[in-house]
Amino acid sequence: MKEEVREIIERHGISPDATVREAMRRINELSGESMTLFAIQDDKIKGSITDGDIRRALIEGGELSDKVSSVMNRKFLSANSSKDLSLKMAEGRKKHIELLPVIEDGHLKDIIDLKITHACLPLEAVLMAGGRGERLRPLTDDLPKPLLPVAGKPIIDYNVEELEACGIKKIHVTVNYLGEMIRDHFTKRDGRARINCVTEPMRLGTFGSLAYVEGISTEDIIVMNSDLLSVVDFEGMYLHHKKTSADFTIAAVPYSVSIPFAIMRMQGQRVKALEEKPTYNYFANGGVYIMKSELVGKIKKGEYLDAPDFIMNLIEENRNVGSFHIEGTWVDIGSPDDYRLANELASR
């Protein structure tokens, strides 16, 4: 059983043979948390207990000395396989349930806190954190860009926390410039995902470092820049990626260009038309990708490779390269103006 599950059981588990009085005391200690207990015996959940369950039992004549087994809800919501996990999570939120146990072969395997976990995606992630952040100097002279504070928190932590909220348990972070500082940051950070820092031996472009990421165990992976401040629907992007049978899916950011002049439509030297102050709408590469993990094998160690070149190679091979549109906040923190904007947005 995972260590984090054991910690939840220590806080929220109780014996079915404990008294109702003991259950009330334990629930009272959970003030500010999910105020739910689970009656657990031999790694099996027998029922759930809330204040409401105890109150109803006492109204019907129950005693504080009764056993928990007499008041527990035996028809508690649980997920019993990875196939129905997303549906069960949605059902739990609809019913305002905060803790969702995952049961396999009758035994407790996990407990999901629905307040902090948005989804449970079967993905590992790679955060690219090796850049020098030259346009942000002197801020990045002694601090790698992923660790620059945005509203008091390092940029990279926003992305790690969002990935953790989607149930991602393993995150690879590729590092180069001042990489030891990033390694040290994650040795001190207490989070739900396991962080694996991978050293990029030289500057290899945005995708070249992927060749050094080993031990990927999922069919698909998220790959993203670590210096983004964005709101990405990772669950929606993943479902779209699978629904379209894509090999590679790019997060697409709406981008508009307004021309403050009348544009002439020309044929040779002749003016055929005037278009007054037009606006052109495009989709830009958002620096967030979901790709089949097998594609990592196409990248050679020591090869300099940027994301656009890798994507163009896939397109030329007639691979299925798709897009998923981002709605809402997206800031690529590459310049002092971007950094100021990111701080303003995060402060709100």
Side-chain angles (χ1 to χ4, degrees):
M1 186 180 294
K2 295 180 293 186
E3 186 62 32
E4 57 265 32
V5 178
R6 292 192 181 280
E7 292 176 3
I8 293 177
I9 289 175
E10 287 180 7
R11 295 287 293 163
H12 296 272
I14 192 170
S15 168
D17 294 327
T19 65
V20 171
R21 184 188 300 275
E22 173 65 10
M24 289 182 67
R25 184 187 68 80
R26 292 284 307 282
I27 289 174
N28 188 59
E29 291 175 351
L30 293 172
S31 179
E33 301 181 43
S34 299
M35 299 179 72
T36 301
L37 295 177
F38 293 103
I40 301 175
Q41 191 172 55
D42 300 325
D43 283 341
K44 294 183 178 180
I45 294 184
K46 303 297 184 178
S48 64
I49 309 99
T50 65
D51 269 334
D53 296 319
I54 294 174
R55 183 175 62 253
R56 285 185 288 273
L58 294 178
I59 289 173
E60 293 175 5
E63 301 288 341
L64 293 178
S65 58
D66 290 345
K67 290 184 177 181
V68 162
S69 57
S70 67
V71 303
M72 66 187 184
N73 175 18
R74 300 175 187 271
K75 296 181 180 180
F76 59 95
L77 182 69
S78 67
N80 54 29
S81 72
S82 59
K83 293 181 180 178
D84 72 351
L85 195 51
S86 294
L87 294 175
K88 291 291 187 179
M89 289 177 69
E91 182 181 351
R93 289 194 182 91
K94 188 175 181 180
K95 293 180 177 179
H96 304 292
I97 290 171
E98 295 181 342
L99 296 178
L100 176 68
V102 179
I103 298 171
E104 293 180 13
D105 299 324
H107 291 273
L108 176 65
K109 293 298 181 183
D110 200 355
I111 296 178
I112 299 171
D113 189 334
L114 297 180
K115 299 194 308 300
I116 60 177
T117 302
H118 304 158
C120 279
L121 302 182
L123 300 168
E124 291 182 18
V126 179
L127 282 172
M128 297 174 287
R132 300 181 67 88
E134 294 180 354
R135 288 185 293 160
L136 283 166
R137 285 182 170 175
L139 295 174
T140 53
D141 283 344
D142 301 308
L143 190 68
K145 183 164 68 165
L147 295 186
L148 286 178
V150 172
K153 183 163 63 178
I155 297 168
I156 196 169
D157 281 0
Y158 286 93
N159 294 302
V160 169
E161 290 170 6
E162 190 61 31
L163 292 169
E164 287 178 324
C166 291
I168 292 173
K169 303 291 193 243
K170 187 175 183 181
I171 301 172
H172 308 269
V173 180
T174 62
V175 300
N176 182 291
Y177 176 67
L178 299 178
E180 284 306 312
M181 295 183 71
I182 298 175
R183 285 181 178 275
D184 185 58
H185 172 73
F186 283 115
T187 60
K188 297 174 181 177
R189 181 183 179 273
D190 184 20
R192 285 171 284 154
R194 182 158 64 93
I195 308 296
N196 171 42
C197 286
V198 178
T199 299
E200 182 184 26
M202 63 194 79
R203 295 183 68 181
L204 294 172
T206 50
F207 260 44
S209 62
L210 289 179
Y212 296 87
V213 178
E214 298 178 348
I216 296 173
S217 61
T218 55
E219 182 178 357
D220 300 280
I221 58 173
I222 291 175
V223 180
M224 64 182 295
N225 297 333
S226 64
D227 53 3
L228 299 174
L229 184 68
S230 61
V231 177
V232 180
D233 179 5
F234 287 113
E235 183 179 35
M237 186 174 178
Y238 172 70
L239 294 174
H240 177 76
H241 175 78
K242 300 305 285 186
K243 181 179 179 180
T244 58
S245 300
D247 296 303
F248 193 99
T249 300
I250 307 169
V253 180
Y255 189 79
S256 297
V257 178
S258 296
I259 309 297
F261 311 107
I263 297 300
M264 295 185 292
R265 301 298 180 191
M266 308 289 290
Q267 186 177 51
Q269 296 298 314
R270 295 188 63 184
V271 177
K272 303 297 290 184
L274 287 174
E275 187 175 358
E276 184 68 28
K277 299 180 180 178
T279 297
Y280 300 102
N281 298 308
Y282 302 95
F283 282 99
N285 179 354
V288 180
Y289 317 96
I290 295 182
M291 59 185 277
K292 289 184 176 178
S293 56
E294 68 183 54
L295 296 178
V296 174
K298 296 172 65 65
I299 304 171
K300 298 177 182 179
K301 288 186 176 181
E303 175 187 16
Y304 187 95
L305 183 65
D306 280 325
D309 297 319
F310 183 74
I311 295 168
M312 286 305 302
N313 289 338
L314 295 179
I315 293 171
E316 290 170 4
E317 293 173 6
N318 203 32
R319 292 276 196 161
N320 185 355
V321 177
S323 66
F324 178 80
H325 299 170
I326 293 178
E327 297 180 1
T329 301
W330 182 87
V331 181
D332 180 4
I333 305 172
S335 69
D337 286 342
D338 296 328
Y339 185 48
R340 281 191 291 270
L341 175 60
N343 273 281
E344 290 174 8
L345 292 173
S347 296
R348 299 183 201 143

